[in-house]
Amino acid sequence: MLIGDVARRSGVSARMLRHYDSLGLVRPTQRTEAGYREYSGEDIRRIFHIESLRSLGLSLREVRSALDDPGFRPTELVDDLIRQTRERIAGETALLTRLRRIGAAEPAEWEDVLQIVALLQALGSESAGKRQRAALSSVDEVSVPVEALVEAVLSETDPHVAGALRWALAQSGDSVVALLAEGLDSPVADVRKRAVQSIAEFPDEDASALLRDALTNSDVVVRRYAALALGARGVAEAVPTLIDMIIAGVHDVEAADALGALASRPASAEQIASRLVGRLAPGALEPAARRRLTQALADVPGTTTSNALVDLSRDEDRAVALTATYLLTLRSAP
């Protein structure tokens, strides 16, 4: 088959076939009486093999290795192609995300576009100082899409930069909390933690509703931060988690303070006292946990607490008894 016929039937141009010939990839094995190149059936099969491999993204050099090297291992090349493709997709996805964010900011001039690009690059800088300055200037200079700020705060490890980002988010509008909520379902524990911490910074009811839902989150860290935030807001649903935190000795001082704030209302005080006392039965917990629960009664007013402290002042655990006696002294002081 002559080169023109091969080109028509294979879809490979005659020019490319000549290029393959020059590279030694496919050299016609026959000649006509007139001296024209003539491709055999084996040559044509090789052309289709070359095109198939090129469709996978292989270079012509890699194609030659694949077809001519007896020791060539396809799995290694395929693995390498998978890696390269993932990197390319990640790069294209990042570019698409950046373009969408610039479009969402609705820049009026090219100068605005350049400022947004500079801020987005600064938010991803390795320098904490640059990231912090970018967060602060995102409000005053040019509007950075809120999605970029949310992504930044959910990945930020520096507490000072995170604080600046949360401040910037607070100036950004009503959609912030909903975007942060997506971080609560992240497979990365640190992202879930940053998401609940950021949501806790917003005082509105939408944030409180998300924090209530977070009390049942499968991540105990998320539950604990949600409980601390809700306790400060006077939400009684946080009480069981706060008590569990005191028992576990995790942020127990903050948890006890939150219980004390919740107990400022008489009805809540009796319920909180009952829950604390219910967990204080001798032998039910380790001594250290019982001591922390006893200390937590300090800011809980009411008769239930007073009666419990009288009983605890005679507790077998001397540290518990001394703590209860001291608290009774404080309660009786004028």
Side-chain angles (χ1 to χ4, degrees):
M1 190 178 296
L2 299 180
I3 189 170
D5 295 327
V6 173
R8 283 191 296 273
R9 296 193 181 190
S10 68
V12 182
S13 69
R15 180 178 180 181
M16 183 59 72
L17 289 172
R18 293 190 185 95
H19 184 53
Y20 288 170
D21 189 354
S22 69
L23 294 175
L25 271 172
V26 183
R27 285 180 173 162
T29 54
Q30 301 176 15
R31 293 272 180 172
T32 65
E33 292 181 358
Y36 293 110
R37 296 178 178 88
E38 188 171 23
Y39 290 84
S40 66
E42 186 62 31
D43 295 333
I44 293 172
R45 279 192 293 274
R46 185 175 173 89
I47 290 171
F48 282 113
H49 290 163
I50 291 170
E51 293 305 301
S52 296
L53 292 174
R54 287 188 65 199
S55 72
L56 298 177
L58 272 69
S59 67
L60 292 178
R61 180 182 59 80
E62 290 169 329
V63 168
R64 170 180 281 177
S65 297
L67 294 178
D68 297 341
D69 184 357
F72 183 81
R73 298 183 60 184
T75 54
E76 293 181 359
L77 178 59
V78 171
D79 289 342
D80 192 47
L81 288 171
I82 290 172
R83 177 187 58 78
Q84 293 176 18
T85 302
R86 284 176 174 165
E87 290 175 354
R88 185 169 63 253
I89 291 173
E92 293 293 330
T93 301
L95 175 60
L96 178 60
T97 299
R98 178 171 294 186
L99 289 170
R100 283 175 173 169
R101 288 172 177 171
I102 292 172
E106 299 181 349
E109 305 289 343
W110 277 112
E111 186 64 29
D112 296 335
V113 174
L114 296 176
Q115 283 187 301
I116 294 170
V117 171
L119 281 173
L120 291 175
Q121 289 175 336
L123 285 173
S125 171
E126 293 183 1
S127 167
K130 287 184 178 180
R131 296 197 303 274
Q132 186 172 26
R133 287 192 294 273
L136 296 174
S137 61
S138 67
V139 175
D140 297 329
E141 294 184 7
V142 62
S143 177
V144 173
V146 67
E147 292 86 351
L149 292 175
V150 168
E151 180 180 316
V153 79
L154 292 181
S155 61
E156 184 55 61
T157 57
D158 186 285
H160 302 293
V161 181
L165 286 166
R166 286 195 289 267
W167 173 83
L169 281 172
Q171 323 300 315
S172 298
D174 298 332
S175 62
V176 177
V177 172
L179 290 171
L180 287 170
E182 297 178 10
L184 294 174
D185 297 322
S186 170
V188 181
D190 284 342
V191 173
R192 296 193 297 270
K193 175 183 174 181
R194 295 178 194 127
V196 70
Q197 287 176 316
S198 298
I199 292 170
E201 296 284 336
F202 291 83
D204 57 86
E205 185 51 41
D206 288 341
S208 294
L210 284 171
L211 292 170
R212 285 189 179 93
D213 291 340
L215 288 174
T216 59
N217 194 284
S218 59
D219 188 332
V220 65
V221 174
V222 171
R223 296 198 301 270
R224 287 167 175 168
Y225 276 104
L228 288 173
L230 289 171
R233 300 178 191 209
V235 179
E237 291 99 312
V239 170
T241 303
L242 293 172
I243 293 176
D244 287 340
M245 292 171 67
I246 295 171
I247 292 172
V250 178
H251 298 300
D252 51 293
V253 174
E254 294 91 336
D257 289 342
L259 284 178
L262 284 166
S264 60
R265 291 173 291 181
S268 298
E270 292 300 317
Q271 293 175 0
I272 292 170
S274 296
R275 285 181 175 272
L276 287 169
V277 172
R279 305 295 294 273
L280 272 163
L285 297 171
E286 293 182 357
R290 294 186 71 244
R291 293 166 201 159
R292 289 192 293 270
L293 286 175
T294 303
Q295 291 168 352
L297 288 168
D299 295 323
V300 181
T303 57
T304 300
T305 297
S306 297
N307 293 337
L309 289 173
V310 170
D311 293 337
L312 290 168
S313 67
R314 299 187 290 269
D315 196 88
E316 295 178 356
D317 186 322
R318 180 170 173 76
V320 169
L322 289 173
T323 300
T325 300
Y326 175 70
L327 293 178
L328 283 171
T329 301
L330 292 178
R331 293 170 80 88
S332 62

